Amino acid sequence: MTYCVGLFLDQGLVMLADTRTNAGLDNISCFAKLQQFHRPGERMIATMTAGNLAVSQAVINLIQEGLPHPETGVQETIYSVPTMFGAAALVSQAVRHVHQIHGKAMQEQDVPFDVSILLGGQVANRTMRLFQVYAAGNFIEATGDTPFLQVGEHKYGKPILDRAVSSATSLTEGVKLALISMDSTLRSNLSVGMPLDLLVYRKDSIDGVETHRIEKGDAYFGMIRERWSAALAEAHRKIPAPSWLSGPYPADPAD
Amino acid sequence: MTYCVGLFLDQGLVMLADTRTNAGLDNISCFAKLQQFHRPGERMIATMTAGNLAVSQAVINLIQEGLPHPETGVQETIYSVPTMFGAAALVSQAVRHVHQIHGKAMQEQDVPFDVSILLGGQVANRTMRLFQVYAAGNFIEATGDTPFLQVGEHKYGKPILDRAVSSATSLTEGVKLALISMDSTLRSNLSVGMPLDLLVYRKDSIDGVETHRIEKGDAYFGMIRERWSAALAEAHRKIPAPSWLSGPYPADPAD
């Protein structure tokens, strides 16, 4: 399994992915799911992939090697598409191309053709955008109303994003919230695992991008886990008990 | 869909269920999923059901009408079983009985035989227990290490329980945490809905049980939703930004 989350904020993008890939519980590997396609001063595009690893890798290869544009016939790559919409269309085309090559054989072996891709970034002088491309090649886009997209094991990490993320959230808070959302997922699903890959992109900067690999044992991530659990414990204790509860029940030993 | 959560605490049991039943998005009804079988001074047993409504209702009917004990042949009901283990065995038997009657026809129509039941309570002078019975009739039990069980749409509401519930949690805190867990689920899955049914049972009291229906617009539930969101927002703002983040990025407008 996988968990990837992308935040589409007024200030820019936060993209966070785990790196665990598994084929059964006893065959676990570490594969980067976050890929960056950066041409300084010209474009910063990043993808995060979930689903079948062979399919994701084929798609990522194809968008770098290029595919002929369905109308013009001109070969296009992730480095040549003129806009983020063009990039989404290219990824979509790549997904369908991979399906054409491998879909039938996979189906015959009962292997689902399962892939979801988050695609975020900006081409110079164009709009910053964040897309999610599905296995059928269709895609949706994050907007101000729904400023985050998730792929993979998304449910455990969604409540904190639902409650706390708006498009006005700063990049710094966005990084913290993405890490908290990931932590909730790591605790609940063994097939999502460290290290984590993080990308932070400042809107309209093209080169204002930084990536970090957060390794197991990372001091900051450990601190955020502890502080967050402690803050939650304090928060629910501070909420008064319901007046309709008959009780009285003995107090919490930790109080 | 459904969300039911049972907390198995040193002080007693907290059981919380939503009431939404849906057959498609345009056919929504309200059905109680929490059932109580109380004989004052003698036993307090409660069930919460998720899955196919016809199957759940058939099981709940059967455990009240009674089934012959597989070994002794004596008719047993939820009011006559001598222990909670006996109650779990009875529910298991009822699930299998319903499968025998309806399983084949359901399969022919591609309707999954889908049911999960939480069963908690105590028979006088016996141990308080909390079980989860699966669609195959097999069952597991909550223990001190894993002091909560969930059925239905369980993922959204699990992180808060993972972080905050231990068997030492008081009944009062347990009620708050179950409501917070339910709120996270309500926000993320439309097919889980108000009103909510809550049961609180004080261990070894048999009659120390209270139930509440929390209606849409309930002032306490509204307050807990607001306070919780506010507390989370404050909590993540208080966590320092990672020192490895290059930035500096503009502060959060809400800071």
Side-chain angles (χ1 to χ4, degrees):
Chain A
M1 202 81 186
T2 287
Y3 178 48
C4 303
V5 54
L7 310 186
F8 180 74
L9 308 173
D10 294 344
Q11 292 186 5
L13 294 170
V14 175
M15 296 173 78
L16 180 67
D18 84 311
T19 54
R20 183 159 292 174
T21 300
N22 70 308
L25 276 175
D26 54 355
N27 187 0
I28 292 175
S29 327
C30 173
F31 279 94
K33 297 164 189 174
L34 174 71
Q35 305 285 342
Q36 197 188 338
F37 310 95
H38 187 199
R39 280 268 161 87
E42 199 256 310
R43 69 183 59 216
M44 196 308 290
I45 303 179
T47 56
M48 296 192 292
T49 50
N52 183 290
L53 183 64
V55 173
S56 325
Q57 290 192 340
V59 169
I60 297 305
N61 278 317
L62 270 177
I63 61 174
Q64 292 173 91
E65 282 195 359
L67 282 164
H69 189 282
E71 281 157 31
T72 63
V74 177
Q75 189 84 350
E76 269 192 332
T77 76
I78 194 74
Y79 291 107
S80 71
V81 287
T83 61
M84 283 305 296
F85 186 82
L90 178 67
V91 171
S92 159
Q93 203 189 336
V95 169
R96 286 173 184 159
H97 192 85
V98 176
H99 186 258
Q100 225 167 16
I101 299 170
H102 297 293
K104 192 157 167 279
M106 288 174 72
Q107 196 178 14
E108 280 166 11
Q109 309 254 354
D110 278 333
V111 179
F113 187 85
D114 170 25
V115 68
S116 317
I117 300 163
L118 293 184
L119 171 80
Q122 190 168 24
V123 176
N125 305 314
R126 307 301 297 246
T127 320
M128 180 187 85
R129 296 172 86 169
L130 175 67
F131 292 95
Q132 175 173 351
V133 184
Y134 297 102
N138 52 339
F139 51 88
I140 60 167
E141 180 176 10
T143 63
D145 287 333
T146 304
F148 63 88
L149 294 172
Q150 306 168 287
V151 293
E153 175 60 279
H154 65 282
K155 291 190 178 182
Y156 298 116
K158 188 162 182 282
I160 177 63
L161 303 176
D162 276 337
R163 292 181 196 263
V165 175
S166 76
S167 51
T169 301
S170 69
L171 284 171
T172 309
E173 289 308 309
V175 167
K176 292 189 228 168
L177 288 164
L179 289 172
I180 292 167
S181 170
M182 179 62 78
D183 180 41
S184 297
T185 311
L186 290 172
R187 279 172 190 261
S188 293
N189 189 325
L190 272 186
S191 70
V192 177
M194 305 281 287
L196 310 174
D197 283 329
L198 173 73
L199 178 146
V200 185
Y201 170 69
R202 194 160 53 233
K203 188 161 81 177
D204 299 330
S205 69
I206 307 298
D207 300 337
V209 60
E210 53 174 312
T211 54
H212 298 278
R213 171 152 286 198
I214 298 162
E215 298 285 349
K216 201 175 168 178
D218 178 89
Y220 179 77
F221 192 59
M223 184 274 280
I224 217 171
R225 299 184 88 150
E226 269 172 43
R227 298 259 309 234
W228 186 249
S229 286
L232 295 201
E234 198 195 326
H236 72 77
R237 287 218 184 81
K238 272 190 183 163
I239 295 175
S243 55
W244 38 253
L245 204 61
S246 305
Y249 300 110
D252 203 294
D255 277 350
Chain B
M1 202 80 189
T2 288
Y3 177 48
C4 303
V5 55
L7 309 186
F8 179 73
L9 308 174
D10 294 344
Q11 292 185 5
L13 295 171
V14 174
M15 296 172 79
L16 180 67
D18 84 311
T19 55
R20 182 158 294 173
T21 299
N22 69 309
L25 275 175
D26 54 354
N27 187 359
I28 292 175
S29 326
C30 173
F31 279 95
K33 297 165 190 173
L34 174 71
Q35 305 286 343
Q36 198 188 337
F37 310 96
H38 187 199
R39 280 269 160 87
E42 200 255 311
R43 69 183 58 216
M44 196 306 291
I45 303 179
T47 56
M48 297 193 292
T49 50
N52 183 289
L53 184 63
V55 173
S56 327
Q57 289 191 341
V59 168
I60 298 304
N61 278 318
L62 270 177
I63 63 173
Q64 292 173 91
E65 282 195 359
L67 282 165
H69 188 280
E71 281 157 30
T72 64
V74 178
Q75 189 84 350
E76 270 193 332
T77 77
I78 194 75
Y79 291 107
S80 72
V81 286
T83 60
M84 283 305 295
F85 185 81
L90 177 67
V91 172
S92 159
Q93 204 189 336
V95 169
R96 287 174 184 159
H97 192 86
V98 176
H99 186 258
Q100 224 167 17
I101 299 171
H102 297 293
K104 193 158 166 279
M106 289 174 70
Q107 197 179 13
E108 280 166 12
Q109 309 253 354
D110 279 331
V111 179
F113 186 86
D114 170 25
V115 67
S116 318
I117 301 163
L118 293 184
L119 170 80
Q122 190 168 24
V123 176
N125 305 314
R126 305 302 296 246
T127 320
M128 179 187 86
R129 296 171 87 169
L130 175 67
F131 292 95
Q132 175 173 352
V133 184
Y134 297 102
N138 52 340
F139 51 86
I140 60 166
E141 179 176 9
T143 63
D145 287 332
T146 304
F148 63 88
L149 293 172
Q150 306 168 287
V151 293
E153 176 61 280
H154 66 282
K155 291 190 179 183
Y156 298 116
K158 188 163 183 280
I160 177 63
L161 304 177
D162 275 336
R163 291 181 198 264
V165 175
S166 75
S167 51
T169 301
S170 69
L171 284 170
T172 309
E173 289 309 309
V175 167
K176 292 189 227 167
L177 288 165
L179 289 172
I180 292 166
S181 171
M182 179 62 78
D183 179 42
S184 297
T185 312
L186 290 171
R187 280 172 189 260
S188 293
N189 189 326
L190 272 185
S191 69
V192 176
M194 306 282 286
L196 311 175
D197 284 328
L198 173 73
L199 178 146
V200 185
Y201 170 70
R202 194 160 52 232
K203 187 161 83 176
D204 299 330
S205 68
I206 306 299
D207 300 336
V209 59
E210 53 174 312
T211 54
H212 298 278
R213 171 152 287 199
I214 299 162
E215 298 285 350
K216 201 176 168 176
D218 178 88
Y220 180 76
F221 192 59
M223 184 274 280
I224 217 170
R225 299 185 87 150
E226 269 173 43
R227 298 257 312 231
W228 187 249
S229 286
L232 294 202
E234 198 194 326
H236 71 78
R237 287 217 184 83
K238 273 191 184 163
I239 295 176
S243 55
W244 38 253
L245 204 61
S246 306
Y249 300 111
D252 203 295
D255 278 350

